[in-house]
Amino acid sequence: MAIQRSRSGKRLVLIAVFASAMYWGCGGDAAPTTSNASMTAEEVKKLYGVKCGICHGPDGTMQYAGSKDLSVSTLSLEEVKLQIANGKGTMPPMKNVLDQASIDRLAEYAMTLRK
């Protein structure tokens, strides 16, 4: 019985940690970040990993929580920017979390994941 309680407790902790990571990774109640168009490629890749990679995966093919496979996307660059800004389905909007320059750079990075 003590083992079952221990497992249940660990499971609840893991769920709470995962939910927190999803909340903060997808923006939470954060104010827009101050960034600029001069972000390095490495900074953009890191931002993608934090904001997008949770569901889309590092190469865009993960498709977690209903996310689309970015490697086969046919959206234009402008459509990708709008989708990042406004969200869609389970994807939260980033317009209140990221500045426009960061959204633009994320969209450009997402385009590089296409095969």
Side-chain angles (χ1 to χ4, degrees):
M1 183 134 173
I3 293 173
Q4 284 182 328
R5 285 186 191 162
S6 176
R7 286 183 185 162
S8 295
K10 287 180 184 178
R11 188 174 303 134
L12 288 174
V13 168
L14 287 174
I15 290 170
V17 168
F18 181 75
S20 295
M22 289 293 293
Y23 178 78
W24 292 109
C26 293
D29 288 333
T33 61
T34 54
S35 183
N36 60 47
S38 65
M39 291 171 54
T40 66
E42 195 58 39
E43 289 170 328
V44 175
K45 186 175 181 178
K46 184 176 180 181
L47 182 62
Y48 170 86
V50 171
K51 298 294 184 188
C52 313
I54 293 171
C55 295
H56 290 288
D59 64 353
T61 63
M62 192 160 82
Q63 297 179 297
Y64 180 76
S67 67
K68 302 298 182 194
D69 183 342
L70 301 181
S71 71
V72 297
S73 174
T74 58
L75 297 177
S76 71
L77 179 59
E78 289 305 313
E79 290 171 321
V80 173
K81 289 177 184 181
L82 285 172
Q83 198 146 327
I84 293 170
N86 299 317
K88 185 175 180 183
T90 60
M91 180 179 161
M94 291 288 132
K95 64 184 171 192
N96 295 324
V97 179
L98 300 174
D99 63 15
Q100 189 60 48
S102 297
I103 290 171
D104 293 347
R105 293 297 307 272
L106 278 176
E108 292 164 4
Y109 181 80
M111 299 292 279
T112 69
L113 300 176
R114 294 181 178 183
K115 295 180 179 174

